[in-house]
Amino acid sequence: TDYGSSLTVSLPAALQPHQPFQIIVRYITADGPAIWWLDPELTYGNAKPFVFTQGHSVCNRSFFPCFDTPAVKCTYSATVKAPAGIQVLMSATQSTYLEEEGVYQFYMEYPVPAYLVALVAGDLIHADIGPRSRVWAEPCLLPTAISKLSGMVERWLTAAESLYGPYIWGRYDIVFLPPSFPIVAMENPCLTFIISSILESDEFLIIDVIHEVAHSWFGNAVTNATWEEMWLSEGLATYAQRRITTETYGAAFTCLETAFRLDALHRQMKLLGEDNPVSKLQVKLEPGVNPSNLMNLFTYEKGYCFVYYLSQLCGDPRHFDSFLRAYIEKYKFTSVVAQDLLDSFLNFFPELKEQCVESKAGLEFERWLNATGPPLAEPDLSQGSSLTRPVETLFKLWTTEPLDSVAAASSVDLTKWRTFQTVLFLDRLLDGSPLPHEVIKKLSECYSSQLDSMNAEIRIRWLQIVVRNDYYPDLYKVRRFLENQMSRMYTIPLYEDLCTGTLKSFALEIFYQTQNQLHPNLRKTIQQILSQGLNPLPAIDTTAVTTDTPAMVLEDKVSEATNGAISLRDVNVSA
C-alpha cells in the first residue's frame, strides 16, 4: 500500500529482558513518498540534481525501516556518499566530511521521532547569519537569504529562550529548498527546511521561521505521542510563535496575524460544516487514513485558542510561560498525550485545580478536546485594532451598496500597508466573490497595478479574485503568474479556481505549456484537478503544443478538489 508493509523480527527465545541486541536490515529504496528527486531543471540554478526528504507524517518508512510513530524516539547516525560538488545536510547535531572518499557522516545525539530524520543534497552553499545559525541555499539565492535573515534568527532564538528555557539542539540552521518542496516549512531539528518561494514575502517568512523556531520546544523536544493529537505540537507551537512575535514585534502585529489566521479558520469551518469530525482537537484516526490528511487549521488555530484560553486562566501570560518552561523540562525528549499537558497544568496551578476550571460550564477541557465546531473562546485582538480597523473600513467601502464611495476607497495606498493587512483585505473580497461587475472593474482600476509589484502571497489572492469573478481584462496576469510558478502553494489554488468556473480550457492550455517545469508529483495533482468529472487526461507530447494549439474543451462541473485550494491558501502549511 501507500503506507508500506510491516517488517516483523522474531527475537531469539533465549534473549533475556533488557539484554542489548542488534538488528541489521539490508534494504534498497527508490522513489517513495518521503524522497523527492529533482532534475537540474527543477532547481533555481539549473546546474545540478537535487534531492530532499519530507518525513511528516508517515513518509519516512519509505526512506528507511523505522518505528514510524511519534510515540517512539531514538538517536540516529547516517553515512552518506555523494558525488563531488554535491553538498549533503541532515537534521543532526554532529557532522563530518571525508573529502577524499566523498562521504558525509552524521549523528543526532538526542532522541527524535522518525519523522524528524531529514536529508537534503544539492548545489548548496552557506553563510553564517548569527553565532549559532547559518543559511544554506543555491548560490543564486544565498544573497537574498542573507539579507532577509542576518541577525534575525538569533534575535528570535533569544526571545524564545527567555520564555521557554535553553535551546537544546545546539545549532539552528536553515536550508532553502527549490519550489517543489511540498509544504512551506518543516521543523527538522538543527536544520529547518523552508521553501525558497517564501523569501519574497517578508512577513510570511518571519512568521514561518519563528513558528519552526517554536517547534524546537513544542514538537521536537516534547512531541505528541499520537497523530490524533497533533494540536499538542501545532497549537502549542502557534501559541509560542505568537508570544515570540509579541516580544519582538509588538502586540499589534501579533493580533493582525492572528486575525488573518482566525478569519481563515472560520472560512474553513463554513466550508466543512460545524459538525465535521476533523474540527475536533482529538481526531479519530481511522485505519488506512494518512495522518497528514488531518493537518488543517483546527490543528493550528483551534489548538492555539485552547492554549490561549489556558494562559488566560492564569491571569498573566508570564505565569503561563513559567508553566510551559516546567512542562518542557519535565517531558523533553519524550512523547505525551493531552492528559499529560492538562494534568501538569492543574498541578502547576493548584488554585485553578481547586476552582475546578477543567469543568467550567461551556468551557470544559473535555469539550475543548472533543467537540466539533469553532473554538469555544477566541482571544481578544483589540490591541491590533490600529492595523485591522483600516482593513475593515476599506472592505466596507467596497461592499456597501450603492457603490458611491469609490473616491475614498481609491485614495487608499495599499503599498503603505503591511502584507498581512493586504492579504486580510483580499481574503475578505475573495470570500464575497463573485462581486458585482462594477465593483471588480473599479477594484482593478484602483489596485491592480499596485498589486503587480507586491509579493506572491498578495498576488495569488488578487488573481483568485480575478478568476472567481471571470474578470477577463486581468486574465493575462493569471497566465503570466502560472508561467513563472513551480510551487504547489502558488499553483494549486489557481488551477482549482479555474476549473471550478468557466475557465477550464484556459487552465488546460496553460498547463500543457508549463507542465515540463513542474515536479512530477505536482504535475499529477494538477492533472487530477483538470480531470474532475472527465475521462483521464491523455499523455500529451508537449513539444508539439504551441500557444496556438486549441485547448481541449472541458465540460463545466464544480471541482471536487476545491477544498484543497482553501486549505492550501489558508493553512500556508508549516508542519
Side-chain angles (χ1 to χ4, degrees), residues 156-157 159-161 163-164 167 169 172 187 192 206-222 232-245 324 328 575:
W156 301 331
L157 285 171
E161 287 181 313
L163 295 169
Y164 305 120
Y167 177 75
W169 302 97
Y172 186 92
E187 68 272 17
T192 287
I206 288 169
I207 292 300
D208 290 328
V209 176
I210 293 178
H211 184 84
E212 307 314 317
V213 166
H215 269 309
S216 302
W217 285 263
F218 305 100
N220 294 5
V222 181
L232 285 169
S233 288
E234 296 304 343
L236 280 161
T238 301
Y239 177 84
Q241 160 212 310
R242 289 175 180 152
R243 286 289 290 127
I244 296 167
T245 59
L324 290 177
I328 291 292

Side-chain angles (χ1 to χ4, degrees), residues 135 144-150 152-153 156 172 174-176 184-185 192-213 241 245 249 253 261 419-420 455 457 489-490 572 574:
V135 288
T144 302
I146 295 170
S147 68
K148 301 278 187 177
L149 291 173
S150 185
M152 303 305 295
V153 173
W156 301 331
Y172 186 92
I174 297 171
V175 58
F176 285 95
V184 176
T192 287
F193 284 19
I194 298 189
I195 192 168
S196 298
S197 314
I198 208 71
L199 275 169
E200 67 172 275
S201 306
D202 288 0
E203 290 180 24
F204 279 87
L205 176 65
I206 288 169
I207 292 300
D208 290 328
V209 176
I210 293 178
H211 184 84
E212 307 314 317
V213 166
Q241 160 212 310
T245 59
Y249 297 100
F253 174 76
R261 300 293 189 191
T419 289
F420 281 121
N455 63 62
E457 289 289 343
M489 65 185 184
Y490 296 139
N572 194 14
S574 300

Side-chain angles (χ1 to χ4, degrees), residues 549-564:
T549 304
M552 184 185 300
V553 178
L554 304 176
E555 63 182 82
D556 288 330
K557 178 181 171 68
V558 175
S559 168
E560 296 171 7
T562 304
N563 297 8

